[in-house]
Amino acid sequence: MKRESAAVLAMIASLLAASPLAAADTNKTEERSRTNAGVKLPPYQELKLSNGATILLMERHDVPMIAFSARIRGGSVVDTAGKEGVASLVAEMLQRGAGKRDAAAFAEAVDNVGGAINTGSSREAITVSGNFLSRDANVMLELLADMLERPTFPESEIVKTRERMIDEIAAAKDADLRQLINIYFANFVYGNHLYGKPVRGTETSLAGLTREDVLTYYRNHLGSDRMTLAIVGDFSSADIQSRLRAHFGKWSKAAAPAPSIPAPQPVKGTRVLLVDKPDATQTYFWIGNTGIARNDPDRVPIELANTVFGGRFTSILNQELRAKSGLTYGANSVMSRETRPGLVAISTYTKTDTTEKAVDLALSLLDRYRKEGLDDAALASVKSYVLGQFPPRIETSVQLAARLAEIHFYGLDKSDVDRYAEMVGSANRATVNRLAARVYPARENLTFVFIGKADAIRNAVKKYGPVTEMKITDKTFTARAN
C-alpha cells in the first residue's frame, strides 16, 4: 500500500508540474520578477570621517522623519572568557545615562519629542537604531553622540540591568525554552569558536560582571573606527554633514584591534546534547550543523531552497510535521548568517512521548530533500513568494536604514538589493537542488540538541549519536563531556 501511495503521489506531482496551474505559477513569477526588478536601493552618499567612522546618508522626503541604524563591530565575539554577556550589558547601558543626563532624563529627552531609540547586541556587533521627526534632527544627533561617546554607566543601573538579564534567562528556562535552545545548540556546535559564546551571557557570567568590566569593554571595543551609521529620511545631505562631523569627528578609535574571526569548521560525525528538564511535557529539539555566511555568493538560491524546506507556513517541514502528522504546532529550518558561516538547523518541538517519531520524520524529510530537492512547481511557487515578500521589507526609512547599515557591515554593496529580483528569477531547479544538498548536512554529520524530560527520552535519543547530558538548572550553557 505504501508503494502504491508513493506512486500515486509521484504521478500527481508530475501532473501538477505539467498542469496549467503550474504554468500560471511560472507566469506569475516571471511577472513579479519583471515588476520587482525595478526595486532598487535609493541613491545614497558615503561619508568617511578621518577617525574611521563610516556614515551613509540617504535622503527621502516622503514623510517628515529621520531614521538611523548604527552597527559597532564587536559584540559577543570579543567578550572575555568568563565574562560572556558584557557586550549585551554595555548595549543595554548606553541609554541609561549619557552626557549630562541620567537614565530618567535621557528617556524623557527621547519621549518629549516623540522619538524612539533601541539598542541591542549580536555575535558581531552592538546596534543602536531609532527614528525622530525631521525637525528634531539636532536632538537625535546629540542623544546618539552622547550614547556612543559619553555613556556614564552608573553603578546602580548596571546592577539593576544585570539582575534583570539573569532573571530573563531563569524565566525562559521555566516558561519558554524556545528562547534558549538556540543558545545550547550554538554552544554545542561551535564549541570553543568565538560564535559559541552566548550573546546574552549566562547566569554565572552575568552575576560576576562589574562596572570595571563594562568600562573595559567600552574602551576597547566602542570607537569611531568600528562604527557604520546609516541615516535615512527627510534631511539635506549637504546640510547635515557638518553636524555629523561636529558630533562624531572627535570620537576616539577603539583601543583594541577589531576582532578577527576564523571560519568555523563543520562538525564531523553525529552527537547529541540532552538538556534535562524533569517537569517538561514537551521535547524541544534542533538538528543541524554550520551553514553559510551572509555574503555567500549563492545566498539567494540557498534562500529559495530554505524557504521551501522550512522557511514559510507551507514549507515541507511545517506541512509534514504539523499539518499532516499533528506532531507539533510548528516546524521550521533556521539559517543564521554571520560574516562567517552561521547555523543551519531543523527546529521544532513535540510531546514527550512522540519525540522519537517526530525526530525520525524530520530526518526522513531532510534525507529526501537532500536527495530529491524541489520540483519545478515548487520552484515557481517559492520564487513568487519571496519576490512578493521582498519589496515590503525595504519600504520605510527605518527598514532602509537597517538594510543599508547591514549590507555595508557585511562588506556587500547595493547589488544585494538591486539585483535580488534578477538573482531570484535566474535561479534554476538544478542549481537550487545542488545547493540544498551542499548546505543541509548529511545524516552522518548531524548535531542534535534536545531539551526535555531526560528519563523519558534518554533511550530514544541514544540512537542518534553519543549523548552528552546536562541539567536545565546548570548556570551555564556549556556541556561537559560525560
Side-chain angles (χ1 to χ4, degrees), residues 345-375:
I346 295 170
S347 169
T348 188
Y349 58 98
T350 189
K351 293 186 296 184
T352 300
D353 59 2
T354 57
T355 298
E356 185 175 2
K357 185 177 181 180
V359 175
D360 285 346
L361 177 55
L363 291 176
S364 69
L365 295 171
L366 175 62
D367 290 342
R368 188 178 75 189
Y369 194 57
R370 291 188 77 253
K371 181 180 179 180
E372 301 176 5
L374 47 73
D375 59 21

PDB file of all heavy atoms in Angstrom, residues 345-375:
ATOM      1  N   ALA A 345      19.683  24.592  10.770  1.00  0.00           N
ATOM      2  CA  ALA A 345      19.099  23.583  11.655  1.00  0.00           C
ATOM      3  C   ALA A 345      17.600  23.436  11.438  1.00  0.00           C
ATOM      4  O   ALA A 345      16.908  24.395  11.090  1.00  0.00           O
ATOM      5  CB  ALA A 345      19.359  23.943  13.119  1.00  0.00           C
ATOM      6  N   ILE A 346      17.120  22.220  11.662  1.00  0.00           N
ATOM      7  CA  ILE A 346      15.688  21.963  11.794  1.00  0.00           C
ATOM      8  C   ILE A 346      15.309  22.308  13.224  1.00  0.00           C
ATOM      9  O   ILE A 346      15.985  21.898  14.171  1.00  0.00           O
ATOM     10  CB  ILE A 346      15.372  20.485  11.510  1.00  0.00           C
ATOM     11  CG1 ILE A 346      15.677  20.142  10.052  1.00  0.00           C
ATOM     12  CG2 ILE A 346      13.912  20.169  11.842  1.00  0.00           C
ATOM     13  CD1 ILE A 346      15.613  18.658   9.744  1.00  0.00           C
ATOM     14  N   SER A 347      14.240  23.061  13.396  1.00  0.00           N
ATOM     15  CA  SER A 347      13.815  23.500  14.723  1.00  0.00           C
ATOM     16  C   SER A 347      12.340  23.182  14.931  1.00  0.00           C
ATOM     17  O   SER A 347      11.499  23.608  14.132  1.00  0.00           O
ATOM     18  CB  SER A 347      14.040  25.002  14.884  1.00  0.00           C
ATOM     19  OG  SER A 347      13.417  25.498  16.046  1.00  0.00           O
ATOM     20  N   THR A 348      12.020  22.441  16.000  1.00  0.00           N
ATOM     21  CA  THR A 348      10.624  22.155  16.307  1.00  0.00           C
ATOM     22  C   THR A 348      10.503  21.615  17.731  1.00  0.00           C
ATOM     23  O   THR A 348      11.495  21.566  18.470  1.00  0.00           O
ATOM     24  CB  THR A 348      10.017  21.163  15.290  1.00  0.00           C
ATOM     25  OG1 THR A 348       8.618  21.060  15.512  1.00  0.00           O
ATOM     26  CG2 THR A 348      10.652  19.797  15.396  1.00  0.00           C
ATOM     27  N   TYR A 349       9.308  21.211  18.100  1.00  0.00           N
ATOM     28  CA  TYR A 349       9.052  20.626  19.411  1.00  0.00           C
ATOM     29  C   TYR A 349       7.857  19.692  19.297  1.00  0.00           C
ATOM     30  O   TYR A 349       7.053  19.791  18.370  1.00  0.00           O
ATOM     31  CB  TYR A 349       8.801  21.709  20.465  1.00  0.00           C
ATOM     32  CG  TYR A 349       7.645  22.626  20.158  1.00  0.00           C
ATOM     33  CD1 TYR A 349       6.384  22.427  20.719  1.00  0.00           C
ATOM     34  CD2 TYR A 349       7.813  23.706  19.284  1.00  0.00           C
ATOM     35  CE1 TYR A 349       5.323  23.262  20.433  1.00  0.00           C
ATOM     36  CE2 TYR A 349       6.751  24.558  18.985  1.00  0.00           C
ATOM     37  CZ  TYR A 349       5.518  24.325  19.562  1.00  0.00           C
ATOM     38  OH  TYR A 349       4.466  25.158  19.261  1.00  0.00           O
ATOM     39  N   THR A 350       7.756  18.770  20.240  1.00  0.00           N
ATOM     40  CA  THR A 350       6.688  17.774  20.189  1.00  0.00           C
ATOM     41  C   THR A 350       6.417  17.260  21.590  1.00  0.00           C
ATOM     42  O   THR A 350       7.174  17.533  22.527  1.00  0.00           O
ATOM     43  CB  THR A 350       7.089  16.613  19.253  1.00  0.00           C
ATOM     44  OG1 THR A 350       5.966  15.758  19.042  1.00  0.00           O
ATOM     45  CG2 THR A 350       8.237  15.801  19.846  1.00  0.00           C
ATOM     46  N   LYS A 351       5.335  16.500  21.752  1.00  0.00           N
ATOM     47  CA  LYS A 351       5.049  15.895  23.044  1.00  0.00           C
ATOM     48  C   LYS A 351       6.165  14.916  23.406  1.00  0.00           C
ATOM     49  O   LYS A 351       6.773  14.304  22.533  1.00  0.00           O
ATOM     50  CB  LYS A 351       3.704  15.168  23.013  1.00  0.00           C
ATOM     51  CG  LYS A 351       2.490  16.076  22.855  1.00  0.00           C
ATOM     52  CD  LYS A 351       1.187  15.304  22.981  1.00  0.00           C
ATOM     53  CE  LYS A 351       1.033  14.292  21.873  1.00  0.00           C
ATOM     54  NZ  LYS A 351      -0.292  13.602  21.930  1.00  0.00           N
ATOM     55  N   THR A 352       6.381  14.760  24.694  1.00  0.00           N
ATOM     56  CA  THR A 352       7.469  13.892  25.152  1.00  0.00           C
ATOM     57  C   THR A 352       7.386  12.505  24.534  1.00  0.00           C
ATOM     58  O   THR A 352       8.387  11.963  24.046  1.00  0.00           O
ATOM     59  CB  THR A 352       7.442  13.782  26.692  1.00  0.00           C
ATOM     60  OG1 THR A 352       7.616  15.085  27.253  1.00  0.00           O
ATOM     61  CG2 THR A 352       8.545  12.861  27.192  1.00  0.00           C
ATOM     62  N   ASP A 353       6.173  11.921  24.514  1.00  0.00           N
ATOM     63  CA  ASP A 353       6.061  10.533  24.056  1.00  0.00           C
ATOM     64  C   ASP A 353       6.094  10.382  22.535  1.00  0.00           C
ATOM     65  O   ASP A 353       6.082   9.258  22.021  1.00  0.00           O
ATOM     66  CB  ASP A 353       4.807   9.868  24.631  1.00  0.00           C
ATOM     67  CG  ASP A 353       3.524  10.587  24.247  1.00  0.00           C
ATOM     68  OD1 ASP A 353       3.609  11.582  23.492  1.00  0.00           O
ATOM     69  OD2 ASP A 353       2.441  10.174  24.697  1.00  0.00           O
ATOM     70  N   THR A 354       6.161  11.491  21.799  1.00  0.00           N
ATOM     71  CA  THR A 354       6.297  11.394  20.344  1.00  0.00           C
ATOM     72  C   THR A 354       7.651  11.924  19.867  1.00  0.00           C
ATOM     73  O   THR A 354       7.825  12.210  18.685  1.00  0.00           O
ATOM     74  CB  THR A 354       5.161  12.156  19.624  1.00  0.00           C
ATOM     75  OG1 THR A 354       5.153  13.531  20.055  1.00  0.00           O
ATOM     76  CG2 THR A 354       3.818  11.521  19.907  1.00  0.00           C
ATOM     77  N   THR A 355       8.603  12.054  20.798  1.00  0.00           N
ATOM     78  CA  THR A 355       9.915  12.602  20.447  1.00  0.00           C
ATOM     79  C   THR A 355      10.574  11.805  19.330  1.00  0.00           C
ATOM     80  O   THR A 355      10.987  12.368  18.304  1.00  0.00           O
ATOM     81  CB  THR A 355      10.836  12.614  21.680  1.00  0.00           C
ATOM     82  OG1 THR A 355      10.270  13.462  22.684  1.00  0.00           O
ATOM     83  CG2 THR A 355      12.219  13.129  21.318  1.00  0.00           C
ATOM     84  N   GLU A 356      10.692  10.502  19.521  1.00  0.00           N
ATOM     85  CA  GLU A 356      11.382   9.686  18.523  1.00  0.00           C
ATOM     86  C   GLU A 356      10.661   9.731  17.182  1.00  0.00           C
ATOM     87  O   GLU A 356      11.302   9.833  16.119  1.00  0.00           O
ATOM     88  CB  GLU A 356      11.485   8.242  19.015  1.00  0.00           C
ATOM     89  CG  GLU A 356      12.300   7.342  18.103  1.00  0.00           C
ATOM     90  CD  GLU A 356      12.474   5.947  18.680  1.00  0.00           C
ATOM     91  OE1 GLU A 356      11.931   5.667  19.764  1.00  0.00           O
ATOM     92  OE2 GLU A 356      13.164   5.131  18.027  1.00  0.00           O
ATOM     93  N   LYS A 357       9.356   9.673  17.187  1.00  0.00           N
ATOM     94  CA  LYS A 357       8.586   9.704  15.949  1.00  0.00           C
ATOM     95  C   LYS A 357       8.813  11.014  15.196  1.00  0.00           C
ATOM     96  O   LYS A 357       8.991  11.020  13.962  1.00  0.00           O
ATOM     97  CB  LYS A 357       7.105   9.519  16.268  1.00  0.00           C
ATOM     98  CG  LYS A 357       6.208   9.411  15.044  1.00  0.00           C
ATOM     99  CD  LYS A 357       4.752   9.158  15.456  1.00  0.00           C
ATOM    100  CE  LYS A 357       3.847   9.035  14.238  1.00  0.00           C
ATOM    101  NZ  LYS A 357       2.433   8.798  14.623  1.00  0.00           N
ATOM    102  N   ALA A 358       8.809  12.139  15.929  1.00  0.00           N
ATOM    103  CA  ALA A 358       8.998  13.445  15.291  1.00  0.00           C
ATOM    104  C   ALA A 358      10.407  13.587  14.727  1.00  0.00           C
ATOM    105  O   ALA A 358      10.597  14.107  13.620  1.00  0.00           O
ATOM    106  CB  ALA A 358       8.710  14.561  16.296  1.00  0.00           C
ATOM    107  N   VAL A 359      11.402  13.142  15.480  1.00  0.00           N
ATOM    108  CA  VAL A 359      12.785  13.239  15.009  1.00  0.00           C
ATOM    109  C   VAL A 359      12.985  12.376  13.779  1.00  0.00           C
ATOM    110  O   VAL A 359      13.590  12.807  12.784  1.00  0.00           O
ATOM    111  CB  VAL A 359      13.774  12.834  16.125  1.00  0.00           C
ATOM    112  CG1 VAL A 359      15.204  12.815  15.579  1.00  0.00           C
ATOM    113  CG2 VAL A 359      13.681  13.795  17.300  1.00  0.00           C
ATOM    114  N   ASP A 360      12.476  11.175  13.808  1.00  0.00           N
ATOM    115  CA  ASP A 360      12.633  10.281  12.659  1.00  0.00           C
ATOM    116  C   ASP A 360      11.966  10.851  11.404  1.00  0.00           C
ATOM    117  O   ASP A 360      12.507  10.748  10.294  1.00  0.00           O
ATOM    118  CB  ASP A 360      12.048   8.902  12.972  1.00  0.00           C
ATOM    119  CG  ASP A 360      12.927   8.090  13.904  1.00  0.00           C
ATOM    120  OD1 ASP A 360      14.100   8.469  14.108  1.00  0.00           O
ATOM    121  OD2 ASP A 360      12.437   7.078  14.445  1.00  0.00           O
ATOM    122  N   LEU A 361      10.805  11.454  11.586  1.00  0.00           N
ATOM    123  CA  LEU A 361      10.139  12.069  10.436  1.00  0.00           C
ATOM    124  C   LEU A 361      10.954  13.247   9.910  1.00  0.00           C
ATOM    125  O   LEU A 361      11.133  13.401   8.699  1.00  0.00           O
ATOM    126  CB  LEU A 361       8.729  12.524  10.815  1.00  0.00           C
ATOM    127  CG  LEU A 361       7.938  13.245   9.715  1.00  0.00           C
ATOM    128  CD1 LEU A 361       7.857  12.398   8.442  1.00  0.00           C
ATOM    129  CD2 LEU A 361       6.533  13.602  10.209  1.00  0.00           C
ATOM    130  N   ALA A 362      11.466  14.076  10.813  1.00  0.00           N
ATOM    131  CA  ALA A 362      12.292  15.216  10.396  1.00  0.00           C
ATOM    132  C   ALA A 362      13.523  14.745   9.634  1.00  0.00           C
ATOM    133  O   ALA A 362      13.893  15.324   8.600  1.00  0.00           O
ATOM    134  CB  ALA A 362      12.706  16.036  11.619  1.00  0.00           C
ATOM    135  N   LEU A 363      14.145  13.688  10.110  1.00  0.00           N
ATOM    136  CA  LEU A 363      15.329  13.161   9.434  1.00  0.00           C
ATOM    137  C   LEU A 363      14.988  12.590   8.059  1.00  0.00           C
ATOM    138  O   LEU A 363      15.750  12.766   7.097  1.00  0.00           O
ATOM    139  CB  LEU A 363      15.987  12.092  10.304  1.00  0.00           C
ATOM    140  CG  LEU A 363      16.642  12.586  11.594  1.00  0.00           C
ATOM    141  CD1 LEU A 363      17.163  11.416  12.415  1.00  0.00           C
ATOM    142  CD2 LEU A 363      17.778  13.564  11.298  1.00  0.00           C
ATOM    143  N   SER A 364      13.852  11.927   7.961  1.00  0.00           N
ATOM    144  CA  SER A 364      13.467  11.373   6.660  1.00  0.00           C
ATOM    145  C   SER A 364      13.179  12.485   5.659  1.00  0.00           C
ATOM    146  O   SER A 364      13.503  12.377   4.471  1.00  0.00           O
ATOM    147  CB  SER A 364      12.247  10.462   6.806  1.00  0.00           C
ATOM    148  OG  SER A 364      11.075  11.207   7.125  1.00  0.00           O
ATOM    149  N   LEU A 365      12.603  13.576   6.132  1.00  0.00           N
ATOM    150  CA  LEU A 365      12.345  14.722   5.259  1.00  0.00           C
ATOM    151  C   LEU A 365      13.650  15.366   4.815  1.00  0.00           C
ATOM    152  O   LEU A 365      13.795  15.776   3.654  1.00  0.00           O
ATOM    153  CB  LEU A 365      11.473  15.747   5.983  1.00  0.00           C
ATOM    154  CG  LEU A 365      10.055  15.298   6.343  1.00  0.00           C
ATOM    155  CD1 LEU A 365       9.380  16.327   7.237  1.00  0.00           C
ATOM    156  CD2 LEU A 365       9.230  15.052   5.087  1.00  0.00           C
ATOM    157  N   LEU A 366      14.600  15.465   5.735  1.00  0.00           N
ATOM    158  CA  LEU A 366      15.909  16.018   5.390  1.00  0.00           C
ATOM    159  C   LEU A 366      16.604  15.146   4.348  1.00  0.00           C
ATOM    160  O   LEU A 366      17.136  15.646   3.346  1.00  0.00           O
ATOM    161  CB  LEU A 366      16.765  16.131   6.651  1.00  0.00           C
ATOM    162  CG  LEU A 366      18.216  16.593   6.450  1.00  0.00           C
ATOM    163  CD1 LEU A 366      18.257  18.001   5.868  1.00  0.00           C
ATOM    164  CD2 LEU A 366      18.988  16.545   7.768  1.00  0.00           C
ATOM    165  N   ASP A 367      16.613  13.841   4.581  1.00  0.00           N
ATOM    166  CA  ASP A 367      17.242  12.923   3.632  1.00  0.00           C
ATOM    167  C   ASP A 367      16.607  13.041   2.251  1.00  0.00           C
ATOM    168  O   ASP A 367      17.310  13.092   1.221  1.00  0.00           O
ATOM    169  CB  ASP A 367      17.104  11.479   4.126  1.00  0.00           C
ATOM    170  CG  ASP A 367      17.958  11.181   5.353  1.00  0.00           C
ATOM    171  OD1 ASP A 367      18.897  11.954   5.621  1.00  0.00           O
ATOM    172  OD2 ASP A 367      17.672  10.179   6.035  1.00  0.00           O
ATOM    173  N   ARG A 368      15.285  13.071   2.230  1.00  0.00           N
ATOM    174  CA  ARG A 368      14.578  13.139   0.951  1.00  0.00           C
ATOM    175  C   ARG A 368      14.862  14.453   0.229  1.00  0.00           C
ATOM    176  O   ARG A 368      15.071  14.475  -0.991  1.00  0.00           O
ATOM    177  CB  ARG A 368      13.071  12.978   1.177  1.00  0.00           C
ATOM    178  CG  ARG A 368      12.271  12.837  -0.116  1.00  0.00           C
ATOM    179  CD  ARG A 368      10.808  12.644   0.176  1.00  0.00           C
ATOM    180  NE  ARG A 368      10.177  13.893   0.598  1.00  0.00           N
ATOM    181  CZ  ARG A 368       8.938  13.970   1.089  1.00  0.00           C
ATOM    182  NH1 ARG A 368       8.220  12.864   1.237  1.00  0.00           N
ATOM    183  NH2 ARG A 368       8.429  15.140   1.433  1.00  0.00           N
ATOM    184  N   TYR A 369      14.904  15.566   0.987  1.00  0.00           N
ATOM    185  CA  TYR A 369      15.120  16.870   0.362  1.00  0.00           C
ATOM    186  C   TYR A 369      16.538  16.976  -0.189  1.00  0.00           C
ATOM    187  O   TYR A 369      16.752  17.524  -1.270  1.00  0.00           O
ATOM    188  CB  TYR A 369      14.847  17.977   1.372  1.00  0.00           C
ATOM    189  CG  TYR A 369      14.717  19.344   0.743  1.00  0.00           C
ATOM    190  CD1 TYR A 369      13.774  19.583  -0.249  1.00  0.00           C
ATOM    191  CD2 TYR A 369      15.535  20.398   1.146  1.00  0.00           C
ATOM    192  CE1 TYR A 369      13.645  20.838  -0.827  1.00  0.00           C
ATOM    193  CE2 TYR A 369      15.412  21.656   0.582  1.00  0.00           C
ATOM    194  CZ  TYR A 369      14.472  21.869  -0.409  1.00  0.00           C
ATOM    195  OH  TYR A 369      14.342  23.118  -0.983  1.00  0.00           O
ATOM    196  N   ARG A 370      17.507  16.446   0.556  1.00  0.00           N
ATOM    197  CA  ARG A 370      18.884  16.472   0.069  1.00  0.00           C
ATOM    198  C   ARG A 370      19.017  15.639  -1.208  1.00  0.00           C
ATOM    199  O   ARG A 370      19.803  15.978  -2.102  1.00  0.00           O
ATOM    200  CB  ARG A 370      19.855  15.934   1.124  1.00  0.00           C
ATOM    201  CG  ARG A 370      20.014  16.816   2.338  1.00  0.00           C
ATOM    202  CD  ARG A 370      21.146  16.324   3.247  1.00  0.00           C
ATOM    203  NE  ARG A 370      22.445  16.677   2.692  1.00  0.00           N
ATOM    204  CZ  ARG A 370      23.285  15.826   2.132  1.00  0.00           C
ATOM    205  NH1 ARG A 370      22.953  14.546   2.009  1.00  0.00           N
ATOM    206  NH2 ARG A 370      24.457  16.227   1.684  1.00  0.00           N
ATOM    207  N   LYS A 371      18.265  14.558  -1.289  1.00  0.00           N
ATOM    208  CA  LYS A 371      18.376  13.655  -2.440  1.00  0.00           C
ATOM    209  C   LYS A 371      17.561  14.133  -3.635  1.00  0.00           C
ATOM    210  O   LYS A 371      18.051  14.138  -4.772  1.00  0.00           O
ATOM    211  CB  LYS A 371      17.913  12.253  -2.027  1.00  0.00           C
ATOM    212  CG  LYS A 371      18.005  11.230  -3.151  1.00  0.00           C
ATOM    213  CD  LYS A 371      17.540   9.860  -2.670  1.00  0.00           C
ATOM    214  CE  LYS A 371      17.609   8.831  -3.788  1.00  0.00           C
ATOM    215  NZ  LYS A 371      17.151   7.488  -3.336  1.00  0.00           N
ATOM    216  N   GLU A 372      16.326  14.560  -3.385  1.00  0.00           N
ATOM    217  CA  GLU A 372      15.404  14.867  -4.480  1.00  0.00           C
ATOM    218  C   GLU A 372      15.249  16.366  -4.744  1.00  0.00           C
ATOM    219  O   GLU A 372      14.910  16.768  -5.859  1.00  0.00           O
ATOM    220  CB  GLU A 372      14.033  14.260  -4.183  1.00  0.00           C
ATOM    221  CG  GLU A 372      14.054  12.749  -4.004  1.00  0.00           C
ATOM    222  CD  GLU A 372      12.704  12.185  -3.604  1.00  0.00           C
ATOM    223  OE1 GLU A 372      11.724  12.966  -3.568  1.00  0.00           O
ATOM    224  OE2 GLU A 372      12.622  10.977  -3.324  1.00  0.00           O
ATOM    225  N   GLY A 373      15.443  17.180  -3.718  1.00  0.00           N
ATOM    226  CA  GLY A 373      15.265  18.613  -3.884  1.00  0.00           C
ATOM    227  C   GLY A 373      13.821  18.995  -4.160  1.00  0.00           C
ATOM    228  O   GLY A 373      12.889  18.290  -3.761  1.00  0.00           O
ATOM    229  N   LEU A 374      13.641  20.095  -4.856  1.00  0.00           N
ATOM    230  CA  LEU A 374      12.290  20.557  -5.183  1.00  0.00           C
ATOM    231  C   LEU A 374      12.002  20.340  -6.663  1.00  0.00           C
ATOM    232  O   LEU A 374      12.907  20.169  -7.463  1.00  0.00           O
ATOM    233  CB  LEU A 374      12.122  22.029  -4.793  1.00  0.00           C
ATOM    234  CG  LEU A 374      13.209  23.056  -5.188  1.00  0.00           C
ATOM    235  CD1 LEU A 374      13.185  23.355  -6.664  1.00  0.00           C
ATOM    236  CD2 LEU A 374      13.018  24.337  -4.392  1.00  0.00           C
ATOM    237  N   ASP A 375      10.717  20.374  -6.998  1.00  0.00           N
ATOM    238  CA  ASP A 375      10.340  20.222  -8.403  1.00  0.00           C
ATOM    239  C   ASP A 375      10.060  21.593  -9.011  1.00  0.00           C
ATOM    240  O   ASP A 375      10.160  22.629  -8.336  1.00  0.00           O
ATOM    241  CB  ASP A 375       9.143  19.283  -8.551  1.00  0.00           C
ATOM    242  CG  ASP A 375       7.913  19.775  -7.793  1.00  0.00           C
ATOM    243  OD1 ASP A 375       7.830  20.979  -7.485  1.00  0.00           O
ATOM    244  OD2 ASP A 375       7.029  18.935  -7.505  1.00  0.00           O
TER     245      ASP A 375
END
